[in-house]
Amino acid sequence: MPDESRIRVLTLNCWGLKYVAKNLEERIETIAHELAHSDYDIIALQEIWVFAHYERVQKRIAARLPHSKFFYSGALGAGLAIFSRYPFISSSIYPYSLNGTPLDVAAGDWFVGKAAANVVIMHPILGQVQVFNTHLFAKGGEDGPEYNRAHRLVNAWEFSKLARQAAEVGRYVLALGDFNSIPTTLPMTIIFQHAALKDSWAVTHPNVQASHVVSAQQAVQQLGITADSPLNSWSAGKLYARGTWGKRLDYILYRQPNRPGQTSPSLKAVDTKVVLTETVPGRSFSISDHFGLEATFEIITDLSNEETDPSLVPPFQQPSELSGSTINATIHALTACFRFSRERSRRELIIFGLCLLILVGVVVGTAWLPHSWINPIFILFTVFVAWLATTMLYEGYIFGNWECNALMNVIEELEIHRKGQEILNGRPGD
């Protein structure tokens, strides 16, 4: 019989985009085999874009994890799936309002529709647990300019609201996924502060000094590096990864429910480690371009010693709030992106106008073509200009307004949130 006083969970980015990801069939087969021989209670996969791959994994692990959900979003799917030993009582998906631009075809985030997927499971001891699986917008790292990270900040704010709401209705929260952010960045600060989520790696690996790490293996074991590691065959040759130990982008976060007046069991992270670091058997390439991350939680039902154990959180948590500096930094980045978006849209609409003028000139000019063999060239040129005009109209007007409206929504939400906290704290705003 399974030990119901413990929960083991895994998160893994599978790098599974068909026709783009290399050696995909072999890697998915290895992932399915490894998961089939594991003893996890909950598994969250990202970038499992192909439904047939999801079905392959599902069939291999159904004996232990009979409950599963593949989530749909965007044009190509969210790439998110959750597998569970515990039954589902509900599921939903929240596509993020901003996921890059339609013109950024190489990144592809806009087409896949990055999202926060979740299921509510019924645990025999904890009751309702809301399990999130997410993959935040990838492009735009920790460096400037500010507008580069705005879409990920919008993702982080929207995700933190969902996780906070789940706890406020009395559910435990487990949040797994590829957050595309290292722990010290602004998106993670928003999530930690507003959703009051605890980082299982930080809880189980306190006081680790990065300066004491002297090898890539140590970085994986002590710092929780899951991406861009020199030990991963897919990142070992990348220029931006050279000279670094990699990044910790994958997380397993958790929190207790808000149940005022009730004494409830408490979740405690007791072990976390990076897994699936090996190569595909018989081959020289890694299972994915990310390593997996697993965590083991202990369910504490005897809370008599809770006050002496700082790792335990009371069943009722006082709401955690964004600091003033976090709100200011976020609004500054979103405002910079808003201005950049307006200027980009203006340029694109100018290009649209020029295309219209060129099309008029081409139509008029066809009456004086000196040779018939020029006709095909004019037709191809006209098709190209017409395509460019349509694209610039869509990008400059439709998407431009879409992006600006989404940014303005979050900016105003943050400003209202700040004023609301001032009122609640007895310091009414202007």
Side-chain angles (χ1 to χ4, degrees), residues 46 150 228 260 284 321 353 361 428:
Q46 304 88 45
D228 296 338
S284 60
E321 301 301 343

Side-chain angles (χ1 to χ4, degrees), residues 126 128-130 170-173 255-257 259 264-265 267:
L126 299 176
Q128 293 187 20
V129 181
Q130 194 151 347
R171 294 171 181 154
Y172 293 84
V173 176
R255 68 165 289 174
Q256 322 298 326
R259 296 176 180 174
S264 304
L267 269 180

Side-chain angles (χ1 to χ4, degrees), residues 102-122:
L103 286 184
D104 194 1
V105 178
D109 291 61
W110 186 84
F111 298 93
V112 301
K114 295 292 182 66
N118 73 87
V119 297
V120 178
I121 63 172
M122 182 58 72

Side-chain angles (χ1 to χ4, degrees), residues 6 57 67 70-71 85 121 127 151 260 264 279 292 376 385 396:
R6 291 202 163 203
V57 174
H67 311 283
F70 180 84
F71 295 89
R85 183 166 65 85
I121 63 172
H151 286 210
S264 304
T279 58
V385 174

Side-chain angles (χ1 to χ4, degrees), residues 56-332:
R56 185 187 307 182
V57 174
Q58 180 192 40
K59 290 177 182 178
R60 300 285 284 276
I61 66 177
R64 178 172 177 83
L65 307 181
H67 311 283
S68 62
K69 179 74 173 73
F70 180 84
F71 295 89
Y72 302 91
S73 178
L76 302 178
L80 303 174
I82 298 177
F83 306 84
S84 171
R85 183 166 65 85
Y86 313 105
F88 297 166
I89 60 175
S90 68
S91 71
S92 63
I93 185 169
Y94 182 96
Y96 295 126
S97 57
L98 290 178
N99 281 308
T101 72
L103 286 184
D104 194 1
V105 178
D109 291 61
W110 186 84
F111 298 93
V112 301
K114 295 292 182 66
N118 73 87
V119 297
V120 178
I121 63 172
M122 182 58 72
H123 188 272
I125 298 176
L126 299 176
Q128 293 187 20
V129 181
Q130 194 151 347
V131 181
F132 287 92
N133 182 15
T134 192
H135 190 184
L136 300 193
F137 177 64
K139 191 174 182 180
E142 294 75 50
D143 301 325
E146 282 289 286
Y147 60 78
N148 269 349
R149 59 176 179 167
H151 286 210
R152 199 184 303 163
L153 290 174
V154 171
N155 294 174
W157 170 247
E158 292 173 343
F159 177 81
S160 66
K161 290 192 297 179
L162 293 172
R164 177 170 173 148
Q165 289 165 4
E168 287 177 346
V169 298
R171 294 171 181 154
Y172 293 84
V173 176
L174 288 174
L176 302 84
D178 176 3
F179 289 78
N180 269 316
S181 308
I182 62 176
T184 55
T185 53
L186 190 55
M188 297 310 300
T189 301
I190 292 173
I191 291 170
F192 292 143
Q193 289 184 358
H194 191 66
L197 289 167
K198 300 185 72 175
D199 181 358
S200 60
W201 186 272
V203 169
T204 57
H205 295 79
N207 305 318
V208 175
Q209 299 294 325
S211 58
H212 295 166
V213 174
V214 296
S215 70
Q217 187 65 41
Q218 267 191 318
V220 169
Q221 295 173 346
Q222 299 181 23
L223 302 180
I225 299 301
T226 56
D228 296 338
S229 169
L231 300 178
N232 191 302
S233 67
W234 304 111
S235 56
K238 294 180 179 179
L239 292 176
Y240 64 81
R242 292 180 182 176
T244 69
W245 300 131
K247 297 178 180 180
R248 180 156 81 93
L249 303 181
D250 301 87
Y251 296 82
I252 298 174
L253 312 176
Y254 69 103
R255 68 165 289 174
Q256 322 298 326
N258 275 0
R259 296 176 180 174
Q262 297 185 33
T263 301
S264 304
S266 186
L267 269 180
K268 178 185 178 182
V270 294
D271 182 52
T272 53
K273 58 184 177 182
V274 177
V275 294
L276 301 176
T277 59
E278 61 272 12
T279 58
V280 171
R283 305 300 298 269
S284 60
F285 49 84
S286 299
I287 293 175
S288 176
D289 62 348
H290 282 235
F291 296 143
L293 179 68
E294 73 169 41
T296 302
F297 295 93
E298 190 175 85
I299 299 174
I300 309 298
T301 55
D302 181 7
L303 303 178
S304 58
N305 296 322
E306 188 175 358
E307 291 184 359
T308 62
D309 189 344
S311 67
L312 294 178
V313 181
F316 174 70
Q317 292 183 213
Q318 292 298 327
S320 174
E321 301 301 343
L322 295 171
S323 66
S325 59
T326 300
I327 293 177
N328 290 338
T330 305
I331 291 177
H332 178 70

